[in-house]
C-alpha cells in the first residue's frame, strides 16, 4: 500500500508534472512567475484550493453523482465546487494577508479557471482513486506545481539581471526557459 502512495507521489510531482509535462495551469505559471514572492503565494493558494477541491469533488461524485446516476453533471458540479473554493480562499487571503492578495491581483480569481485544478479533479476520476489516494495525488500534484512555479520564478529573477538580447526579453525568453525546464523534467520519465 505504501508503495502505491509513493508511486502516486513521484508520478504526480515529477514524472507527470501538471505544468511541465501535462501543460495544465500555464496561465499562472507564466503570469505569476516574474517574482519569487508572488510565485510562492500563488503556489500556496493553488495547493490549498487543489487539495480541498479534490476532496470535495471526490465526495460529491461518490455520494451524490454516482448513487443518483447524475455523472453527466460531473463537469458542471466540479466547476461550481472549484469556483466556490476560490472565492473562499480569496476572502480568507484578503483578511489574512492583504499584501499577498494585492500582489496576486487578477491571478487569484484566475484559479477558478485554472485547468490544473480541474485537471486534478478529472484525473482522480479517470484513475478511480480512493479517498486516501485522492488526497495524496492532490497534494503531490500541488507540490509538483509549486516546484515548477518556484523554479521558474527563480530562473526568471536571475534572467532579469542577465544581458538578454533585446528581441528575447520578456515573453520570448520566458517561453524558451519554460521549454528547457520541461525538457529537464522529461529526465524523470521512468521513475514511476
Amino acid at each position: 500500500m505504501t508503495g502505491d502512495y509513493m508511486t502516486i507521489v513521484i508520478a504526480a510531482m515529477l514524472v507527470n508534472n501538471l505544468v511541465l509535462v501535462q501543460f495544465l495551469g500555464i496561465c499562472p505559471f507564466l503570469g505569476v512567475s516574474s517574482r519569487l514572492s508572488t510565485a510562492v503565494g500563488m503556489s500556496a493558494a493553488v495547493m490549498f484550493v487543489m487539495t480541498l477541491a479534490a476532496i470535495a469533488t471526490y465526495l460529491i461524485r461518490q455520494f451524490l453523482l454516482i448513487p443518483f446516476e447524475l455523472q453527466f453533471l460531473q463537469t458542471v458540479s466540479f466547476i461550481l465546487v472549484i469556483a466556490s473554493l476560490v472565492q473562499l480562499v480569496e476572502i480568507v487571503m484578503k483578511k489574512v494577508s492583504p499584501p499577498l492578495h494585492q500582489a496576486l491581483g487578477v491571478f487569484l480569481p484566475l484559479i477558478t479557471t485554472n485547468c490544473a485544478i480541474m485537471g486534478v479533479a478529472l484525473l482522480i476520476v479517470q484513475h478511480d482513486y480512493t479517498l486516501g489516494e485522492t488526497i495524496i495525488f492532490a497534494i503531490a500534484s500541488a507540490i509538483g506545481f509549486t516546484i515548477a512555479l518556484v523554479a521558474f520564478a527563480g530562473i526568471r529573477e536571475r534572467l532579469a539581471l542577465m544581458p538578454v538580447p533585446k528581441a528575447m526579453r520578456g515573453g520570448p525568453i520566458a517561453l524558451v526557459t519554460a521549454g528547457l525546464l520541461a525538457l529537464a523534467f522529461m529526465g524523470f520519465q521512468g521513475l514511476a
Side-chain angles (χ1 to χ4, degrees), residues 5 11 15 23 27-28 34 44 79 88 93 130 137 149 152 180 186:
Y5 288 142
V15 177
F23 305 113
C27 266
S34 59
I79 290 170
L88 177 70
M93 193 174 287
T130 64
F137 179 72
L149 189 59
F152 190 55
L180 291 173
M186 286 181 67

Side-chain angles (χ1 to χ4, degrees), residues 34-103:
S34 59
R35 289 196 336 244
L36 197 56
S37 60
T38 55
V40 169
M42 178 59 109
S43 296
V46 166
M47 184 176 294
F48 181 72
V49 171
M50 190 176 287
T51 305
L52 284 180
I55 294 168
T57 55
Y58 175 85
L59 294 173
I60 286 171
R61 182 173 185 274
Q62 291 297 95
F63 297 110
L64 186 66
L65 299 179
I66 292 175
F68 294 108
E69 297 180 7
L70 298 171
Q71 291 94 327
F72 64 93
L73 292 174
Q74 176 176 290
T75 304
V76 173
S77 63
F78 286 7
I79 290 170
L80 290 173
V81 167
I82 292 167
S84 301
L85 287 172
V86 169
Q87 292 303 313
L88 177 70
V89 168
E90 188 171 11
I91 291 168
V92 168
M93 193 174 287
K94 191 181 252 186
K95 298 262 188 214
V96 172
S97 179
L100 181 59
H101 181 267
Q102 187 79 15

Side-chain angles (χ1 to χ4, degrees), residues 167-184:
M168 291 295 291
R169 289 185 191 146
I173 194 70
L175 291 174
V176 168
T177 304
L180 291 173
L181 200 54
L183 281 173

Side-chain angles (χ1 to χ4, degrees), residues 11 19-20 49 67 85 99 102 129 133 136 146 163 169 175 189:
V19 179
L20 298 173
V49 171
L85 287 172
Q102 187 79 15
Y129 285 144
E133 292 170 337
I136 296 295
T146 300
R169 289 185 191 146
L175 291 174
Q189 297 294 319

